[in-house]
mmCIF file of all heavy atoms in Angstrom:
data_model
loop_
_atom_site.group_PDB
_atom_site.id
_atom_site.type_symbol
_atom_site.label_atom_id
_atom_site.label_comp_id
_atom_site.label_asym_id
_atom_site.label_seq_id
_atom_site.Cartn_x
_atom_site.Cartn_y
_atom_site.Cartn_z
ATOM 1 N N ILE A 257 62.029 61.369 97.138
ATOM 2 C CA ILE A 257 62.793 60.299 97.779
ATOM 3 C C ILE A 257 63.743 60.924 98.773
ATOM 4 O O ILE A 257 64.396 61.909 98.492
ATOM 5 C CB ILE A 257 63.525 59.449 96.760
ATOM 6 C CG1 ILE A 257 62.568 58.856 95.708
ATOM 7 C CG2 ILE A 257 64.453 58.430 97.374
ATOM 8 C CD1 ILE A 257 63.280 58.274 94.469
ATOM 9 N N PHE A 258 63.853 60.291 99.927
ATOM 10 C CA PHE A 258 64.820 60.720 100.935
ATOM 11 C C PHE A 258 65.840 59.617 101.215
ATOM 12 O O PHE A 258 65.528 58.495 101.166
ATOM 13 C CB PHE A 258 64.069 61.006 102.269
ATOM 14 C CG PHE A 258 63.041 62.166 102.176
ATOM 15 C CD1 PHE A 258 61.732 61.898 101.854
ATOM 16 C CD2 PHE A 258 63.475 63.474 102.294
ATOM 17 C CE1 PHE A 258 60.801 62.844 101.739
ATOM 18 C CE2 PHE A 258 62.484 64.486 102.166
ATOM 19 C CZ PHE A 258 61.213 64.218 101.894
ATOM 20 N N THR A 259 67.095 60.042 101.438
ATOM 21 C CA THR A 259 68.107 59.018 101.733
ATOM 22 C C THR A 259 67.879 58.464 103.135
ATOM 23 O O THR A 259 67.138 59.002 103.933
ATOM 24 C CB THR A 259 69.501 59.666 101.704
ATOM 25 O OG1 THR A 259 69.668 60.606 102.761
ATOM 26 C CG2 THR A 259 69.786 60.331 100.400
ATOM 27 N N SER A 260 68.517 57.314 103.404
ATOM 28 C CA SER A 260 68.461 56.705 104.718
ATOM 29 C C SER A 260 68.931 57.560 105.847
ATOM 30 O O SER A 260 68.685 57.351 106.970
ATOM 31 C CB SER A 260 69.111 55.319 104.722
ATOM 32 O OG SER A 260 70.458 55.534 104.452
ATOM 33 N N ALA A 261 69.756 58.534 105.517
ATOM 34 C CA ALA A 261 70.301 59.456 106.551
ATOM 35 C C ALA A 261 69.238 60.393 107.099
ATOM 36 O O ALA A 261 69.349 60.961 108.165
ATOM 37 C CB ALA A 261 71.481 60.301 105.999
ATOM 38 N N CYS A 262 68.145 60.582 106.343
ATOM 39 C CA CYS A 262 67.067 61.482 106.780
ATOM 40 C C CYS A 262 66.121 60.697 107.646
ATOM 41 O O CYS A 262 65.506 59.711 107.232
ATOM 42 C CB CYS A 262 66.326 61.996 105.530
ATOM 43 S SG CYS A 262 65.151 63.256 105.888
ATOM 44 N N LYS A 263 66.009 61.095 108.905
ATOM 45 C CA LYS A 263 65.171 60.374 109.906
ATOM 46 C C LYS A 263 63.969 61.179 110.248
ATOM 47 O O LYS A 263 64.087 62.446 110.401
ATOM 48 C CB LYS A 263 66.053 60.117 111.172
ATOM 49 C CG LYS A 263 67.330 59.376 110.900
ATOM 50 C CD LYS A 263 67.016 57.928 110.479
ATOM 51 C CE LYS A 263 68.289 57.166 110.352
ATOM 52 N NZ LYS A 263 68.162 55.948 109.610
ATOM 53 N N LEU A 264 62.850 60.533 110.510
ATOM 54 C CA LEU A 264 61.677 61.220 110.945
ATOM 55 C C LEU A 264 61.844 61.722 112.388
ATOM 56 O O LEU A 264 62.329 60.985 113.257
ATOM 57 C CB LEU A 264 60.468 60.239 110.925
ATOM 58 C CG LEU A 264 59.134 60.761 111.220
ATOM 59 C CD1 LEU A 264 58.679 61.818 110.220
ATOM 60 C CD2 LEU A 264 58.112 59.668 111.265
ATOM 61 N N LEU A 265 61.461 62.914 112.688
ATOM 62 C CA LEU A 265 61.579 63.581 113.975
ATOM 63 C C LEU A 265 60.609 62.925 114.896
ATOM 64 O O LEU A 265 59.378 62.838 114.600
ATOM 65 C CB LEU A 265 61.399 65.031 113.874
ATOM 66 C CG LEU A 265 61.589 65.843 115.143
ATOM 67 C CD1 LEU A 265 63.117 65.750 115.645
ATOM 68 C CD2 LEU A 265 61.202 67.270 114.992
ATOM 69 N N THR A 266 61.013 62.373 116.091
ATOM 70 C CA THR A 266 60.112 61.774 117.026
ATOM 71 C C THR A 266 59.845 62.605 118.209
ATOM 72 O O THR A 266 59.098 62.239 119.138
ATOM 73 C CB THR A 266 60.731 60.393 117.430
ATOM 74 O OG1 THR A 266 62.031 60.657 118.074
ATOM 75 C CG2 THR A 266 60.822 59.409 116.321
ATOM 76 N N THR A 267 60.409 63.805 118.292
ATOM 77 C CA THR A 267 60.113 64.799 119.350
ATOM 78 C C THR A 267 59.405 65.990 118.686
ATOM 79 O O THR A 267 59.165 66.070 117.516
ATOM 80 C CB THR A 267 61.398 65.222 120.046
ATOM 81 O OG1 THR A 267 62.251 65.882 119.025
ATOM 82 C CG2 THR A 267 62.170 64.068 120.561
ATOM 83 N N ASP A 268 59.038 66.983 119.567
ATOM 84 C CA ASP A 268 58.376 68.194 119.075
ATOM 85 C C ASP A 268 59.369 69.011 118.202
ATOM 86 O O ASP A 268 60.527 69.158 118.602
ATOM 87 C CB ASP A 268 57.865 69.026 120.220
ATOM 88 C CG ASP A 268 56.740 68.380 120.912
ATOM 89 O OD1 ASP A 268 55.991 67.531 120.343
ATOM 90 O OD2 ASP A 268 56.540 68.724 122.148
ATOM 91 N N PHE A 269 58.865 69.545 117.153
ATOM 92 C CA PHE A 269 59.624 70.458 116.273
ATOM 93 C C PHE A 269 59.827 71.706 117.036
ATOM 94 O O PHE A 269 58.887 72.264 117.636
ATOM 95 C CB PHE A 269 58.904 70.618 114.925
ATOM 96 C CG PHE A 269 59.753 71.274 113.882
ATOM 97 C CD1 PHE A 269 60.908 70.662 113.420
ATOM 98 C CD2 PHE A 269 59.353 72.511 113.349
ATOM 99 C CE1 PHE A 269 61.671 71.256 112.397
ATOM 100 C CE2 PHE A 269 60.129 73.093 112.346
ATOM 101 C CZ PHE A 269 61.313 72.524 111.865
ATOM 102 N N PRO A 270 61.002 72.340 117.063
ATOM 103 C CA PRO A 270 61.240 73.508 117.753
ATOM 104 C C PRO A 270 60.418 74.708 117.250
ATOM 105 O O PRO A 270 59.988 74.716 116.116
ATOM 106 C CB PRO A 270 62.737 73.882 117.439
ATOM 107 C CG PRO A 270 63.304 72.593 116.994
ATOM 108 C CD PRO A 270 62.190 71.775 116.360
ATOM 109 N N ILE A 271 60.028 75.568 118.196
ATOM 110 C CA ILE A 271 59.191 76.734 117.822
ATOM 111 C C ILE A 271 60.096 77.958 117.848
ATOM 112 O O ILE A 271 60.776 78.243 118.824
ATOM 113 C CB ILE A 271 58.074 76.935 118.799
ATOM 114 C CG1 ILE A 271 57.127 75.691 118.745
ATOM 115 C CG2 ILE A 271 57.246 78.188 118.574
ATOM 116 C CD1 ILE A 271 55.988 75.687 119.717
ATOM 117 N N GLY A 272 60.160 78.665 116.757
ATOM 118 C CA GLY A 272 60.888 79.918 116.597
ATOM 119 C C GLY A 272 60.220 81.064 117.294
ATOM 120 O O GLY A 272 59.032 80.971 117.692
ATOM 121 N N THR A 273 60.866 82.132 117.410
ATOM 122 C CA THR A 273 60.307 83.366 117.974
ATOM 123 C C THR A 273 59.454 84.047 116.952
ATOM 124 O O THR A 273 59.951 84.457 115.881
ATOM 125 C CB THR A 273 61.339 84.316 118.472
ATOM 126 O OG1 THR A 273 62.251 83.587 119.358
ATOM 127 C CG2 THR A 273 60.787 85.519 119.141
ATOM 128 N N PRO A 274 58.103 84.196 117.205
ATOM 129 C CA PRO A 274 57.289 84.898 116.204
ATOM 130 C C PRO A 274 57.796 86.248 115.937
ATOM 131 O O PRO A 274 58.188 86.972 116.825
ATOM 132 C CB PRO A 274 55.907 84.922 116.860
ATOM 133 C CG PRO A 274 55.944 83.806 117.822
ATOM 134 C CD PRO A 274 57.370 83.738 118.277
ATOM 135 N N GLY A 275 57.844 86.649 114.681
ATOM 136 C CA GLY A 275 58.251 87.992 114.295
ATOM 137 C C GLY A 275 59.750 88.075 114.070
ATOM 138 O O GLY A 275 60.224 89.045 113.434
ATOM 139 N N SER A 276 60.548 87.108 114.508
ATOM 140 C CA SER A 276 62.000 87.210 114.373
ATOM 141 C C SER A 276 62.375 86.987 112.886
ATOM 142 O O SER A 276 63.522 87.439 112.499
ATOM 143 C CB SER A 276 62.735 86.221 115.258
ATOM 144 O OG SER A 276 62.391 84.906 114.883
ATOM 145 N N SER A 277 61.535 86.375 112.116
ATOM 146 C CA SER A 277 61.867 86.094 110.770
ATOM 147 C C SER A 277 60.917 86.648 109.781
ATOM 148 O O SER A 277 60.842 86.288 108.625
ATOM 149 C CB SER A 277 62.040 84.586 110.565
ATOM 150 O OG SER A 277 60.725 83.935 110.715
ATOM 151 N N VAL A 278 60.081 87.635 110.245
ATOM 152 C CA VAL A 278 59.120 88.152 109.324
ATOM 153 C C VAL A 278 59.791 89.056 108.332
ATOM 154 O O VAL A 278 60.517 89.982 108.679
ATOM 155 C CB VAL A 278 58.036 88.967 110.131
ATOM 156 C CG1 VAL A 278 57.051 89.679 109.238
ATOM 157 C CG2 VAL A 278 57.300 88.048 111.122
ATOM 158 N N THR A 279 59.496 88.828 107.081
ATOM 159 C CA THR A 279 60.048 89.658 106.030
ATOM 160 C C THR A 279 58.856 90.113 105.165
ATOM 161 O O THR A 279 57.880 89.419 105.007
ATOM 162 C CB THR A 279 61.070 88.953 105.167
ATOM 163 O OG1 THR A 279 60.456 87.802 104.615
ATOM 164 C CG2 THR A 279 62.261 88.568 105.948
ATOM 165 N N THR A 280 58.995 91.263 104.624
ATOM 166 C CA THR A 280 57.915 91.775 103.675
ATOM 167 C C THR A 280 58.253 91.197 102.335
ATOM 168 O O THR A 280 59.305 91.401 101.752
ATOM 169 C CB THR A 280 57.994 93.336 103.632
ATOM 170 O OG1 THR A 280 57.858 93.799 104.921
ATOM 171 C CG2 THR A 280 56.908 93.839 102.777
ATOM 172 N N PRO A 281 57.249 90.416 101.784
ATOM 173 C CA PRO A 281 57.443 89.867 100.502
ATOM 174 C C PRO A 281 57.541 90.909 99.471
ATOM 175 O O PRO A 281 56.868 91.980 99.542
ATOM 176 C CB PRO A 281 56.276 88.898 100.308
ATOM 177 C CG PRO A 281 55.263 89.297 101.353
ATOM 178 C CD PRO A 281 56.009 90.090 102.423
ATOM 179 N N SER A 282 58.332 90.677 98.458
ATOM 180 C CA SER A 282 58.460 91.566 97.298
ATOM 181 C C SER A 282 57.094 91.711 96.587
ATOM 182 O O SER A 282 56.505 90.675 96.337
ATOM 183 C CB SER A 282 59.503 91.141 96.380
ATOM 184 O OG SER A 282 59.472 91.828 95.163
ATOM 185 N N PRO A 283 56.667 92.922 96.251
ATOM 186 C CA PRO A 283 55.442 92.980 95.447
ATOM 187 C C PRO A 283 55.627 92.398 94.096
ATOM 188 O O PRO A 283 54.574 92.144 93.409
ATOM 189 C CB PRO A 283 55.225 94.537 95.391
ATOM 190 C CG PRO A 283 56.525 95.133 95.672
ATOM 191 C CD PRO A 283 57.261 94.201 96.549
ATOM 192 N N CYS A 284 56.763 92.082 93.671
ATOM 193 C CA CYS A 284 56.974 91.465 92.347
ATOM 194 C C CYS A 284 56.959 89.961 92.403
ATOM 195 O O CYS A 284 56.996 89.316 91.404
ATOM 196 C CB CYS A 284 58.354 91.905 91.845
ATOM 197 S SG CYS A 284 58.548 93.663 91.552
ATOM 198 N N GLY A 285 56.793 89.379 93.570
ATOM 199 C CA GLY A 285 56.821 87.955 93.682
ATOM 200 C C GLY A 285 58.214 87.428 93.942
ATOM 201 O O GLY A 285 59.070 88.172 94.551
ATOM 202 N N ASP A 286 58.532 86.248 93.426
ATOM 203 C CA ASP A 286 59.826 85.621 93.720
ATOM 204 C C ASP A 286 60.933 86.467 93.132
ATOM 205 O O ASP A 286 61.028 86.647 91.924
ATOM 206 C CB ASP A 286 59.807 84.285 93.031
ATOM 207 C CG ASP A 286 61.062 83.454 93.282
ATOM 208 O OD1 ASP A 286 62.089 83.984 93.791
ATOM 209 O OD2 ASP A 286 61.030 82.257 92.983
ATOM 210 N N PRO A 287 61.878 86.988 94.038
ATOM 211 C CA PRO A 287 62.946 87.871 93.538
ATOM 212 C C PRO A 287 63.915 87.110 92.627
ATOM 213 O O PRO A 287 64.727 87.766 91.971
ATOM 214 C CB PRO A 287 63.574 88.347 94.846
ATOM 215 C CG PRO A 287 63.176 87.500 95.894
ATOM 216 C CD PRO A 287 61.884 86.835 95.476
ATOM 217 N N SER A 288 63.953 85.813 92.626
ATOM 218 C CA SER A 288 64.813 85.107 91.653
ATOM 219 C C SER A 288 64.163 85.085 90.300
ATOM 220 O O SER A 288 64.871 84.779 89.288
ATOM 221 C CB SER A 288 65.061 83.635 92.138
ATOM 222 O OG SER A 288 63.894 82.918 92.078
ATOM 223 N N VAL A 289 62.909 85.456 90.133
ATOM 224 C CA VAL A 289 62.254 85.462 88.895
ATOM 225 C C VAL A 289 61.994 86.867 88.382
ATOM 226 O O VAL A 289 62.170 87.202 87.229
ATOM 227 C CB VAL A 289 60.860 84.731 88.952
ATOM 228 C CG1 VAL A 289 60.126 84.792 87.634
ATOM 229 C CG2 VAL A 289 61.060 83.254 89.412
ATOM 230 N N TYR A 290 61.647 87.798 89.358
ATOM 231 C CA TYR A 290 61.232 89.209 88.975
ATOM 232 C C TYR A 290 62.201 90.167 89.745
ATOM 233 O O TYR A 290 62.573 89.977 90.856
ATOM 234 C CB TYR A 290 59.871 89.453 89.244
ATOM 235 C CG TYR A 290 58.899 88.741 88.257
ATOM 236 C CD1 TYR A 290 58.274 87.575 88.729
ATOM 237 C CD2 TYR A 290 58.758 89.233 87.050
ATOM 238 C CE1 TYR A 290 57.525 86.911 87.809
ATOM 239 C CE2 TYR A 290 57.892 88.563 86.170
ATOM 240 C CZ TYR A 290 57.267 87.390 86.548
ATOM 241 O OH TYR A 290 56.528 86.700 85.691
ATOM 242 N N TYR A 291 62.470 91.262 89.077
ATOM 243 C CA TYR A 291 63.245 92.379 89.632
ATOM 244 C C TYR A 291 62.366 93.533 89.847
ATOM 245 O O TYR A 291 61.593 93.928 88.907
ATOM 246 C CB TYR A 291 64.441 92.746 88.672
ATOM 247 C CG TYR A 291 65.185 93.949 89.004
ATOM 248 C CD1 TYR A 291 66.158 93.933 89.973
ATOM 249 C CD2 TYR A 291 64.889 95.174 88.455
ATOM 250 C CE1 TYR A 291 66.927 95.056 90.307
ATOM 251 C CE2 TYR A 291 65.578 96.351 88.779
ATOM 252 C CZ TYR A 291 66.612 96.229 89.731
ATOM 253 O OH TYR A 291 67.299 97.411 90.074
ATOM 254 N N GLN A 292 62.483 94.236 91.017
ATOM 255 C CA GLN A 292 61.663 95.394 91.258
ATOM 256 C C GLN A 292 62.514 96.642 90.985
ATOM 257 O O GLN A 292 63.631 96.800 91.568
ATOM 258 C CB GLN A 292 61.160 95.470 92.721
ATOM 259 C CG GLN A 292 60.273 96.640 93.003
ATOM 260 C CD GLN A 292 59.723 96.595 94.407
ATOM 261 O OE1 GLN A 292 60.096 95.862 95.230
ATOM 262 N NE2 GLN A 292 58.820 97.559 94.642
#
């Protein structure tokens, strides 16, 4: 469920810069669940 304040986007969703947010995932999986 979404509140009425949440509106559907009617324009193009912004495109980020490829590679700017690339992170290497932990080999352990979710770091909030597993510690390496």
